[in-house]
Amino acid sequence: MSERNRTVPRVGMVGGGQLSRMTHQAVIGLGVHFSVLAASPTDSAALVCGDVTLGDDRGLDDVMAFAKANDVVTFDHEHVPEPVLRAVEEAGGLLRPGRDALRFAQDKLRMRTRMAELGAPSPRWRAVTALEHVTGFADGEAGAGWPVVLKAARGGYDGKGVWIAADAEEARAVVDRAAAEDVPLLVEEKVAFSRELAVQVARSPHGQVAVYPVVETVQRGGICHEVVAPAPGLSDEKATRAQELAIEIAQALDVTGVLAVELFETAEGVVVNELAMRPHNSGHWSIEGARTSQFEQHLRAVLNLPLGSPRTNAPFTVMANLLGGTDPDVYSRYLHVMAKDPEVKVHFYGKDVRPGRKIGHVTVMGDDHQDLLERARDAAAYLRGDDQ
Amino acid sequence: MSERNRTVPRVGMVGGGQLSRMTHQAVIGLGVHFSVLAASPTDSAALVCGDVTLGDDRGLDDVMAFAKANDVVTFDHEHVPEPVLRAVEEAGGLLRPGRDALRFAQDKLRMRTRMAELGAPSPRWRAVTALEHVTGFADGEAGAGWPVVLKAARGGYDGKGVWIAADAEEARAVVDRAAAEDVPLLVEEKVAFSRELAVQVARSPHGQVAVYPVVETVQRGGICHEVVAPAPGLSDEKATRAQELAIEIAQALDVTGVLAVELFETAEGVVVNELAMRPHNSGHWSIEGARTSQFEQHLRAVLNLPLGSPRTNAPFTVMANLLGGTDPDVYSRYLHVMAKDPEVKVHFYGKDVRPGRKIGHVTVMGDDHQDLLERARDAAAYLRGDDQ
């Protein structure tokens, strides 16, 4: 098989971020042609990919031309507007996932409505167009209580899309600002969870599904810091329920490619938090930790190839995100991390270092998840410069 | 760390074959800048790599310019002539491995002489400039007997560099043709081996070494067909001896990067067959089968980074090469292989299919090496079209 062989399909990914970068890495073995639509030649994927189209990765003209140049188009983000997706599909472009699936990842009101129809366990929620909707939700008859979680159904402001409101005054600030910025809102109860979980499922147009083990995700300040695969001590019952839920959702929403379902674990079971229809930070562990990485699996799914085995390569795999510190030069620290722990696998995304920015991740595999977590945290902290 | 960060080195690889292609795949996580010097835009690596310099990958001007554009230069083949290497080093270019090491991989007479100096177990051999050298070697006092192995010290003819001569007549044909083509020859005894082995060692300029498990290689018609890692049933004594030999050779020859030592296993021990100073077909299993692949390890070594762990990810990993068949379209067969065995990992090199040409490889990991070997052979045979 050759990229030049006309029987081999061309797949394009819209967006030049680290998900495209790692998808490029996965496609090399598959031997199919891969290109990215990137906004800048210094985008993470554009720095390494052999076929880069520069353009507006949210704009009609560039996405349309990109779809015409490829047999199938997929996405490293959910930011292509629905009218653009519709126009491309109507012109015969093959999008995977398609517009009908993507709208549930793009709009949290639609997602929550659809989850309710499916009977998927969810937080209580309601749409918000006035402060009274929030106060009624928190204080009313079936009151969810305070604090509540306010979310932008689409977009957000100040770079945020989720706010915790401790009382009506804090809720008013969010509701007023959202109204001024024309951001649609919903309110959700703050779920009393014991920890956060995630599960990846891949689904092909043929209808085949492959589900990965349920993982534990450790979030701080709304940012994913660590992932432990599989989630230690999770009951078989909850693990199976989470995997079944992910498969049900992928089927009901007609998802093609990887679907990531973020969940809360509670005393009673699991509750759906968020959906993403693309490879996801909670699945990066699978590059080393599974027979088939989420990136290869996503490609196989969108190409309607038979899916690969999601079997794990070690009892536990731990991933920790690398966040930028204040020193832009991490190379000398990198040497020390490599020397200290030869089993830690470092992934850099080629991004300029800025404080708090995700610039890479580390992965380590073994038998003892506590030991692995400490080693991954050590490496990530040292690379950020915390120890200096 | 960013490819655009000036503290991050630029590494260049001379040659655009599949070794460069898989090195590109490995460099993406490291986040250093990587470019290839390729003869054609349709070379295996040139199809996927983000930074490709087109030029003569054996010629002085292009290799010199490439070395000036990179902080360190390494190789996916041994075909850059020694005068070119010398000129580049004298102009300040940093080659890893350097000319002093590479000449032992480029010239089998020098290699054999050096192995003898080191006391490394080797076949009996001698240089050949006349037929009498061969007949004396085979029939003489300490006669090695017939058949003998004739090898081109450098280059070869008709695309070959190794010939088995059953008698003096067959030897004469090779000696005469080699003389006409100006190809230097040596003769070696045909070692009575039980099987062929190989071992990879990486060595950095700092002097750190990391050695992989000894693997069994299955050759047919002079082409590597399968690799089983580690070599099943190999005694600890022979395994340790092979690993120690590889380390001794890497140190004595001042190799930087990966050194592959191909060996014969005999009743008495192990015998050095060939050396390669680059990632090697016998190490492809390490992409999935080891914590650090030979490609990442080679990069870490030539960049003088601390080396990664060569620890295995499964009890056994089996690799089988994919050779082209007569049908150029392997894509439909590919689907069947993926569907039949979701754990088989396929690597395509992006090459046009020609009968007998290495166009990729498959890898499968698990506990039972016989089962793995059958599955890898099945996949490779099916992709070649043997079953159709």
Side-chain angles (χ1 to χ4, degrees):
Chain A
M1 190 162 59
S2 157
E3 286 88 338
R4 292 163 287 141
N5 186 322
R6 286 172 186 275
T7 66
V8 174
R10 298 175 64 91
V11 55
M13 198 167 218
V14 171
Q18 63 259 31
L19 301 178
S20 273
R21 181 182 175 103
M22 290 183 273
T23 304
H24 166 64
Q25 194 174 25
V27 88
I28 291 171
L30 287 177
V32 300
H33 187 90
F34 181 73
S35 61
V36 298
L37 176 59
S40 155
T42 59
D43 280 358
S44 181
L47 290 167
V48 295
C49 187
D51 188 351
V52 179
T53 301
L54 293 177
D56 178 359
D57 64 357
R58 304 175 190 198
L60 177 60
D61 292 350
D62 291 339
V63 175
M64 182 74 85
F66 191 65
K68 285 186 177 158
N70 285 286
D71 297 308
V72 56
V73 164
T74 188
F75 306 90
D76 98 330
H77 60 65
E78 288 108 356
H79 304 311
V80 181
E82 199 178 334
V84 172
L85 299 174
R86 185 189 309 121
V88 171
E89 286 193 340
E90 284 173 359
L94 184 57
L95 306 179
R96 288 181 178 161
R99 178 178 63 98
D100 283 347
L102 273 172
R103 62 203 174 103
F104 296 109
Q106 293 182 314
D107 187 314
K108 294 188 205 304
L109 278 167
R110 282 197 191 128
M111 187 274 273
R112 283 290 177 223
T113 304
R114 193 77 180 93
M115 290 303 104
E117 289 168 6
L118 294 175
S122 304
R124 282 177 288 177
W125 66 279
R126 71 153 296 171
V128 171
T129 53
L131 181 62
E132 292 68 41
H133 298 146
V134 182
T135 53
F137 178 79
D139 297 326
E141 204 165 306
W146 298 92
V148 295
V149 181
L150 288 158
K151 289 183 175 177
R154 297 189 302 276
Y157 62 79
D158 288 350
K160 285 175 67 179
V162 177
W163 303 267
I164 309 292
D167 54 33
E169 270 318 290
E170 289 189 14
R172 180 192 302 277
V174 176
V175 171
D176 288 354
R177 179 74 186 274
E181 307 263 353
D182 210 20
V183 171
L185 281 185
L186 66 161
V187 62
E188 294 179 2
E189 69 173 317
K190 192 163 183 307
V191 174
F193 60 85
S194 51
R195 58 177 168 174
E196 295 188 64
L197 304 171
V199 57
Q200 255 82 28
V201 61
R203 182 172 173 272
S204 70
H206 180 68
Q208 189 187 5
V209 293
V211 64
Y212 287 85
V214 181
V215 303
E216 176 175 346
T217 68
V218 180
Q219 319 270 333
R220 286 187 216 115
I223 292 172
C224 175
H225 274 249
E226 289 129 13
V227 171
V228 183
L234 186 66
S235 71
D236 287 350
E237 190 188 337
K238 285 180 182 173
T240 302
R241 180 70 184 119
Q243 290 181 314
E244 286 172 352
L245 254 179
I247 293 170
E248 285 165 23
I249 293 168
Q251 288 170 335
L253 273 49
D254 195 23
V255 176
T256 46
V258 166
L259 168 73
V261 182
E262 294 181 274
L263 303 146
F264 298 121
E265 182 183 9
T266 67
E268 294 76 35
V270 293
V271 173
V272 175
N273 182 19
E274 303 278 359
L275 304 183
M277 292 180 193
R278 50 172 170 74
H280 187 259
N281 201 164
S282 60
H284 291 356
W285 66 273
S286 63
I287 298 175
E288 289 83 15
R291 290 289 198 270
T292 310
S293 78
Q294 65 165 348
F295 298 101
E296 177 176 342
Q297 198 75 292
H298 184 74
L299 285 160
R300 287 166 78 146
V302 303
L303 285 163
N304 207 12
L305 289 167
L307 301 180
S309 167
R311 182 171 163 183
T312 54
N313 287 331
F316 288 101
T317 303
V318 170
M319 185 232 52
N321 278 327
L322 300 179
L323 304 181
T326 50
D327 178 2
D329 171 23
V330 296
Y331 195 70
S332 55
R333 290 199 296 274
Y334 187 27
L335 308 195
H336 286 275
V337 166
M338 283 187 160
K340 186 180 176 194
D341 195 338
E343 293 216 358
V344 165
K345 171 74 186 159
V346 179
H347 296 256
F348 277 109
Y349 302 155
K351 293 169 153 186
D352 285 334
V353 174
R354 288 202 298 265
R357 187 186 203 194
K358 280 185 199 171
I359 57 167
H361 72 267
V362 297
T363 308
V364 59
M365 294 195 292
D367 299 326
D368 177 347
H369 63 86
Q370 279 298 348
D371 170 66
L372 298 174
L373 200 48
E374 279 168 28
R375 288 159 64 194
R377 279 178 182 162
D378 269 3
Y382 199 85
L383 284 164
R384 190 167 54 234
D386 286 0
D387 295 340
Q388 306 201 306
Chain B
M1 188 161 61
S2 157
E3 286 88 338
R4 290 164 289 140
N5 186 323
R6 285 172 186 274
T7 65
V8 173
R10 297 175 65 90
V11 56
M13 197 167 219
V14 172
Q18 64 261 30
L19 300 178
S20 274
R21 181 182 174 103
M22 291 183 274
T23 304
H24 166 63
Q25 193 174 27
V27 86
I28 291 173
L30 287 177
V32 299
H33 186 90
F34 181 73
S35 61
V36 299
L37 175 59
S40 155
T42 59
D43 280 358
S44 182
L47 291 167
V48 296
C49 187
D51 189 351
V52 179
T53 302
L54 293 178
D56 178 0
D57 64 356
R58 303 174 190 199
L60 177 61
D61 291 350
D62 290 340
V63 175
M64 183 73 86
F66 191 65
K68 284 186 177 158
N70 285 285
D71 297 307
V72 57
V73 164
T74 186
F75 305 90
D76 97 331
H77 60 67
E78 288 109 355
H79 305 311
V80 180
E82 199 178 335
V84 172
L85 299 174
R86 186 188 310 120
V88 171
E89 287 193 339
E90 284 173 0
L94 184 56
L95 306 180
R96 286 181 177 162
R99 179 177 62 98
D100 281 348
L102 274 172
R103 62 202 174 104
F104 297 108
Q106 292 182 314
D107 188 313
K108 294 189 206 302
L109 279 167
R110 281 197 191 128
M111 187 274 272
R112 284 289 175 223
T113 305
R114 193 77 180 92
M115 289 304 104
E117 289 169 7
L118 294 175
S122 304
R124 283 177 289 176
W125 67 279
R126 72 154 295 169
V128 171
T129 53
L131 180 62
E132 292 68 43
H133 297 147
V134 181
T135 53
F137 178 79
D139 298 324
E141 203 166 305
W146 298 92
V148 296
V149 181
L150 288 158
K151 291 184 174 176
R154 297 189 303 276
Y157 62 79
D158 288 348
K160 286 174 66 180
V162 178
W163 304 267
I164 309 293
D167 53 33
E169 271 320 290
E170 289 189 14
R172 181 192 304 277
V174 175
V175 171
D176 287 354
R177 179 75 185 275
E181 307 263 354
D182 211 19
V183 172
L185 282 184
L186 66 161
V187 63
E188 294 179 2
E189 68 173 316
K190 192 163 185 307
V191 174
F193 60 84
S194 51
R195 59 178 167 173
E196 295 188 65
L197 304 171
V199 57
Q200 254 82 27
V201 61
R203 182 172 173 273
S204 70
H206 179 68
Q208 189 187 5
V209 294
V211 63
Y212 287 85
V214 181
V215 303
E216 176 175 345
T217 67
V218 181
Q219 319 269 333
R220 285 187 216 116
I223 292 173
C224 175
H225 275 249
E226 288 129 12
V227 171
V228 183
L234 186 67
S235 71
D236 286 351
E237 189 188 340
K238 285 179 180 173
T240 302
R241 179 69 185 119
Q243 290 181 314
E244 285 172 353
L245 255 178
I247 293 169
E248 285 165 25
I249 294 169
Q251 287 171 335
L253 273 48
D254 195 22
V255 176
T256 46
V258 165
L259 168 73
V261 182
E262 296 182 272
L263 303 146
F264 298 121
E265 183 184 9
T266 67
E268 293 75 37
V270 292
V271 173
V272 174
N273 181 20
E274 303 277 359
L275 305 183
M277 294 180 191
R278 50 173 170 75
H280 186 260
N281 200 165
S282 61
H284 291 354
W285 66 273
S286 64
I287 298 176
E288 289 83 16
R291 291 288 199 270
T292 311
S293 79
Q294 67 166 346
F295 299 100
E296 177 176 342
Q297 198 74 292
H298 184 73
L299 286 160
R300 287 166 79 146
V302 303
L303 285 162
N304 207 12
L305 289 167
L307 301 180
S309 166
R311 181 170 164 183
T312 54
N313 288 330
F316 288 101
T317 303
V318 170
M319 185 230 56
N321 277 328
L322 300 179
L323 303 181
T326 51
D327 178 3
D329 170 24
V330 296
Y331 195 70
S332 55
R333 291 199 295 275
Y334 187 25
L335 308 195
H336 287 276
V337 167
M338 283 188 160
K340 186 180 176 194
D341 195 337
E343 294 216 358
V344 165
K345 171 74 186 157
V346 180
H347 295 257
F348 278 108
Y349 302 157
K351 292 169 152 187
D352 286 333
V353 174
R354 288 202 298 263
R357 186 186 204 195
K358 279 185 202 172
I359 58 168
H361 72 267
V362 297
T363 308
V364 58
M365 295 196 290
D367 299 327
D368 176 346
H369 63 85
Q370 279 299 348
D371 169 66
L372 299 175
L373 201 48
E374 280 168 28
R375 287 159 64 193
R377 279 177 182 162
D378 269 3
Y382 199 84
L383 285 164
R384 190 167 55 234
D386 286 0
D387 294 340
Q388 305 201 305

